[in-house]
Amino acid sequence: MIHGVINIHKEKGYTSHDVVAKLRGIVGQKKIGHTGTLDPDATGVLPVCLGRATKVCDLLTEKDKTYEALLLLGVETDTQDTSGTVLKQGDTSALVVNEVEQAILSFVGEYDQTPPMYSALKVNGKKLYELAREGKTVDVEPRKITVYSISLYDFDEKSQSGVFSVSCSKGTYIRTICHDLGLKLGTFGVMSALTRTSAAGFN
């Protein structure tokens, strides 16, 4: 049996569970676990524990993470990213880079974030995305998360899209930061791409 941690670069289209299942076939052992869900559309760092190292899975999941995200303003979807159904569109013609930069910096520190309905969080034993696919909505309690640093380093005023990096605590939804940023700017916002650049000390 293999023991240790493998730093996987997860590709788009795979769930974190898919990665574990694939590795079980490759290395020929069942004792494997990942260290924190990464959405199927997201790419990047996914540390996977094998053998005796599975005992530290929960410990590594608790560690801070860093992401690079693509933001699109003026659109709201049911999933808070561009894979979802468009619900609303807003006027963003007046927004300039300085406004967006100031607004995004206001997220640094602790804030109460309401997880999206399309997430793997469980309510009464059922995952939120399962309820959402059934057309059901439930009240989701906000959770305290921490944004340690956030930086907008590219924003195109014409397309109202940009790139930002964020270092944050466990349980932070980057899609929801995009959504909340849009509201703060008086419009809407969605995430159009996400890459996790570090997790639990792995880059």
Side-chain angles (χ1 to χ4, degrees):
M1 183 179 285
I2 298 171
H3 308 282
V5 183
I6 299 179
N7 185 16
I8 300 292
H9 182 279
K10 191 189 82 66
E11 296 178 2
K12 195 172 181 177
Y14 290 91
T15 66
S16 300
H17 180 73
D18 289 339
V19 173
V20 170
K22 194 87 171 170
L23 271 175
R24 281 176 178 152
I26 292 168
V27 302
Q29 69 185 54
K30 288 185 178 180
K31 203 168 184 181
I32 300 178
H34 65 75
T35 58
T37 302
L38 195 55
D39 286 347
D41 283 344
T43 62
V45 174
L46 182 68
V48 177
C49 300
L50 294 87
R52 287 193 296 270
T54 55
K55 292 178 181 178
V56 300
C57 270
D58 289 344
L59 181 66
L60 294 179
T61 302
E62 296 291 328
K63 299 294 184 182
D64 304 335
K65 299 167 177 65
T66 306
Y67 298 88
E68 184 178 281
L70 269 64
L71 161 76
L72 175 63
L73 293 174
V75 180
E76 181 181 54
T77 69
D78 56 356
T79 59
Q80 299 182 349
D81 61 24
T82 49
S83 72
T85 301
V86 175
L87 303 175
K88 297 174 188 173
Q89 289 184 288
D91 181 22
T92 59
S93 57
L95 290 174
V96 296
V97 63
N98 288 345
E99 287 179 282
V100 179
E101 192 166 36
Q102 286 179 10
I104 205 168
L105 285 172
S106 71
F107 285 89
V108 173
E110 270 193 353
Y111 97 94
D112 293 324
Q113 187 184 71
T114 303
M117 273 301 296
Y118 279 88
S119 63
L121 281 180
K122 287 186 177 179
V123 174
N124 297 324
K126 200 153 189 180
K127 291 178 180 176
L128 285 177
Y129 70 78
E130 292 172 342
L131 294 170
R133 286 171 183 166
E134 292 170 8
K136 298 174 183 175
T137 56
V138 294
D139 288 330
V140 183
E141 288 292 319
R143 304 189 305 174
K144 275 211 184 299
I145 58 100
T146 304
V147 173
Y148 300 108
S149 65
I150 192 166
S151 177
L152 180 76
Y153 56 90
D154 185 38
F155 187 76
D156 181 66
E157 292 176 2
K158 187 176 180 182
S159 65
Q160 292 292 290
S161 62
V163 183
F164 67 91
S165 63
V166 56
S167 176
C168 54
S169 63
K170 174 203 173 186
T172 303
Y173 286 90
I174 312 303
R175 287 178 285 148
T176 304
I177 290 179
C178 295
H179 170 81
D180 294 348
L181 175 62
L183 296 179
K184 190 177 278 283
L185 288 163
T187 182
F188 309 108
V190 292
M191 185 182 77
S192 52
L194 181 68
T195 299
R196 186 153 69 191
T197 53
S198 74
F202 293 90
N203 301 311

